[in-house]
């Protein structure tokens, strides 16, 4: 049975926002070898998919974080998605840089949200969770209450799950790695042998092909 996760994963594969190459792996900025590459910013070019992302992120917020009074996007990938979500919810919006600017006002949080706001953070992709949680830390240090995070996609790494648990932060996502590999095998994008390779990678991505 198709779910929103598999429907969305198939759309991401079709527009090449997700690429699976088990036999010709990518090299991530971290140096990890990976059979998958994800660029959810590509969804912005397709009005129907862009609207789907907005609707689903809003739905997740309304179900999981109805107490939110402001929205924050994580730079740079989720700036646009966060703005779309905030517009739909009619809530104040800001975005958070990886670190403070080294010029001007030296801001890390760009935009003005009310003092004491209950913030839901919007992210496009969760890998290890490190950069996403840096944005959460910046908001907390600025005095805001972060009520949770929504994201378009997660690889579902155990290290990320542990990081969010340690940060005492709930994360909910539209789509995930398991749904992607499931639909990719179903539509013939990958073979059964490829599926086994993809499962092995997720178990220990840092040491895969080392």
């Amino acid at each position: 049975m198709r779910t929103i996760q598999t429907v969305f994963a198939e759309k991401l594969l079709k527009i090449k926002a997700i690429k699976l190459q088990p036999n010709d792996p990518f090299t991530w900025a971290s140096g990890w070898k990976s059979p998958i590459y994800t660029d959810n910013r590509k969804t912005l070019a397709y009005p129907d998919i862009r609207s789907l992302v907005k609707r689903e992120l809003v739905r997740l917020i309304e179900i999981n974080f109805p107490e939110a009074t402001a929205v924050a996007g994580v730079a740079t990938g989720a700036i646009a998605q966060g703005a779309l979500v905030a517009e739909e919810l009619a809530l104040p919006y800001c975005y958070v840089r990886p670190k403070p600017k080294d010029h001007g006002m030296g801001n890390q949080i760009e935009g003005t949200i009310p003092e004491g706001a209950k913030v839901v953070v919007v992210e496009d992709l969760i890998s290890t969770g490190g950069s996403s949680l840096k944005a959460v830390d910046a908001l907390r240090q600025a005095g805001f209450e972060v009520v949770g995070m929504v994201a378009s996609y997660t690889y579902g790494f155990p290290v990320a799950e542990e990081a969010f648990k340690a940060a005492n932060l709930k994360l909910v996502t539209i789509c995930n790695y398991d749904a992607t590999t499931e639909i990719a095998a179903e539509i013939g994008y990958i073979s059964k042998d490829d599926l086994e390779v993809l499962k092995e990678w997720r178990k220990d991505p840092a040491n895969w092909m080392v």
Side-chain angles (χ1 to χ4, degrees):
M1 185 179 75
R2 292 294 179 95
T3 63
I4 182 58
Q5 289 85 7
T6 54
V7 168
F8 188 49
E10 185 172 7
K11 289 181 181 293
L12 294 179
L13 287 166
K14 284 185 175 178
I15 66 171
K16 299 182 179 179
I18 289 180
K19 295 182 180 180
L20 296 172
Q21 296 181 185
N23 300 311
D24 184 19
F26 303 95
T27 301
W28 286 1
S30 62
W32 288 6
K33 294 294 183 181
S34 169
I36 185 172
Y37 185 79
T38 306
D39 183 2
N40 285 325
R41 287 168 291 196
K42 287 183 177 291
T43 62
L44 297 171
Y46 301 86
D48 59 330
I49 303 177
R50 186 174 67 220
S51 293
L52 174 64
V53 172
K54 177 185 70 174
R55 290 195 308 270
E56 286 303 311
L57 290 175
V58 166
R59 184 180 67 84
L60 292 177
I61 290 170
E62 290 176 336
I63 292 171
N64 295 279
F65 312 112
E67 71 274 30
T69 59
V71 178
V74 179
T76 58
I79 291 177
Q81 291 177 350
L84 289 168
V85 167
E87 177 68 15
E88 186 72 13
L89 291 170
L91 291 177
Y93 177 67
C94 68
Y95 71 84
V96 187
R97 297 175 178 274
K99 60 182 180 180
K101 288 194 297 186
D102 58 5
H103 60 281
M105 298 294 291
N107 293 337
Q108 184 171 5
I109 300 172
E110 298 286 6
T112 302
I113 57 176
E115 184 176 343
K118 295 182 178 181
V119 184
V120 62
V121 180
V122 175
E123 180 62 288
D124 69 326
L125 174 67
I126 306 295
S127 53
T128 64
S131 58
S132 306
L133 290 172
K134 282 183 181 178
V136 172
D137 287 341
L139 289 163
R140 285 173 169 170
Q141 289 174 18
F144 300 108
E145 179 185 350
V146 180
V147 297
M149 182 180 293
V150 295
S152 295
Y153 195 89
T154 180
Y155 293 122
F157 293 145
V159 64
E161 294 174 0
E162 288 300 317
F164 276 88
K165 184 177 179 180
N168 192 30
L169 191 73
K170 182 178 180 179
L171 167 70
V172 288
T173 66
I174 301 174
C175 191
N176 55 60
Y177 185 75
D178 289 337
T180 302
T181 55
E182 176 188 333
I183 196 64
E186 183 180 317
I187 65 177
Y189 186 103
I190 58 172
S191 68
K192 288 184 179 179
D193 289 342
D194 290 336
L195 188 57
E196 290 305 312
V197 172
L198 291 165
K199 288 180 179 178
E200 284 301 312
W201 170 76
R202 222 267 297 274
K203 291 178 182 177
D204 189 11
N207 295 302
W208 189 69
M209 291 191 69
V210 173

